Amino acid sequence: MSTTSNRPEWEIELISPNEEGCRFYLDCYKPFRLAALKQDPDAFGSTHEREINFTDADWLGRIKNPLAKTFVAVRTHDKRVLSATSLIGPLSNAEPVSNPSQASAEMRDGGDQPYIHGEASPAPASYQSYQITGVYTMPEARGRGVAKAVAKAAIEQAIDEANQQGKQLALSVVVYSTNHAAISFYESCGFVAGAEGPKFSFNPLKNSSAAELCMYYHRP
């Protein structure tokens, strides 16, 4: 794993798909993800019941997906994951999706992107399109700037990759429209709500629909 930022009590890391990173993903990230799904089921598009049955190969398929980069805040003395998000892209479709991790897996395997907001449309050639998954932070680490540091790392990665390709950045996140705390958080990170407003989206993983809001990053 490569360290991108350091703090006295915690640090931000980008999980590498190498052997060390895969071991960390199974030993540290997997327990964090399962605990988060169990503690706050309404915050996720997936379920604890679904992911507790994943094999190691299922988990490693995520970290080895070339379209997904996972950033974590870890406690320095024991590597406990405190917060995480994933940067998905570059995406071939310009429209944000409800489940970007699932969409990137479909793209990797040659399928279509599911759960698209609005009509599917190719990303303009002058843009590099990305989406971040929702930032989740363990309750004991909230209010300490951890979540914002994780989001900043993902945003900066997207900016760097777009700059390297000489393209403009299109970066989005999809949130539940009733989650006002999350909306305020992403606004503080530079995202603004799309003019299209909330849209209902059906999630087959939970067999339910919810109103979702697409938010787009505006560089200062």
Side-chain angles (χ1 to χ4, degrees):
M1 288 180 293
S2 57
T3 301
T4 59
S5 176
N6 291 300
R7 297 291 187 276
E9 297 182 6
W10 48 271
E11 61 187 9
I12 304 299
E13 296 183 355
L14 167 61
I15 306 178
S16 169
N18 63 16
E19 182 178 352
E20 179 188 1
C22 288
R23 186 166 58 250
F24 173 88
Y25 199 81
L26 293 177
D27 293 345
C28 301
Y29 180 82
K30 174 183 172 182
F32 161 84
R33 171 75 178 182
L34 291 175
L37 287 167
K38 194 170 185 178
Q39 290 171 0
D40 290 305
D42 292 340
F44 297 90
S46 186
T47 66
H48 181 270
E49 181 182 13
R50 172 176 177 259
E51 298 196 13
I52 193 68
N53 292 308
F54 279 4
T55 65
D56 284 355
D58 292 328
W59 287 102
L60 294 178
R62 288 179 167 181
I63 195 61
K64 292 181 179 180
N65 182 350
L67 295 175
K69 294 179 176 67
T70 298
F71 295 85
V72 292
V74 297
R75 209 159 52 189
T76 52
H77 73 274
D78 61 2
K79 293 298 182 181
R80 172 179 165 81
V81 177
L82 301 175
S83 182
T85 191
S86 292
L87 175 68
I88 311 298
L91 298 169
S92 59
N93 195 294
E95 293 295 330
V97 295
S98 297
N99 191 328
S101 295
Q102 182 71 19
S104 69
E106 294 284 343
M107 289 178 61
R108 178 196 61 197
D109 297 334
D112 296 326
Q113 292 185 43
Y115 332 133
I116 294 175
H117 281 260
E119 295 294 327
S121 58
S126 60
Y127 281 82
Q128 192 108 322
S129 295
Y130 295 86
Q131 191 169 338
I132 63 170
T133 61
V135 179
Y136 185 82
T137 305
M138 284 297 181
E140 69 269 21
R142 294 173 186 171
R144 297 161 52 191
V146 179
K148 185 164 284 189
V150 169
K152 181 181 178 182
I155 291 167
E156 289 180 346
Q157 179 74 30
I159 291 172
D160 288 346
E161 291 188 14
N163 286 344
Q164 288 172 14
Q165 296 299 318
K167 295 185 177 183
Q168 299 182 64
L169 174 66
L171 176 63
S172 62
V173 63
V174 174
V175 299
Y176 292 123
S177 63
T178 55
N179 192 340
H180 302 296
I183 293 171
S184 295
F185 168 75
Y186 292 114
E187 287 176 341
S188 74
C189 293
F191 290 83
V192 297
E196 66 272 19
K199 293 183 179 181
F200 273 90
S201 178
F202 177 73
N203 181 352
L205 299 180
K206 303 182 82 168
N207 194 32
S208 64
S209 296
E212 297 178 332
L213 183 67
C214 297
M215 303 185 71
Y216 303 90
Y217 180 70
H218 282 214
R219 297 178 69 170

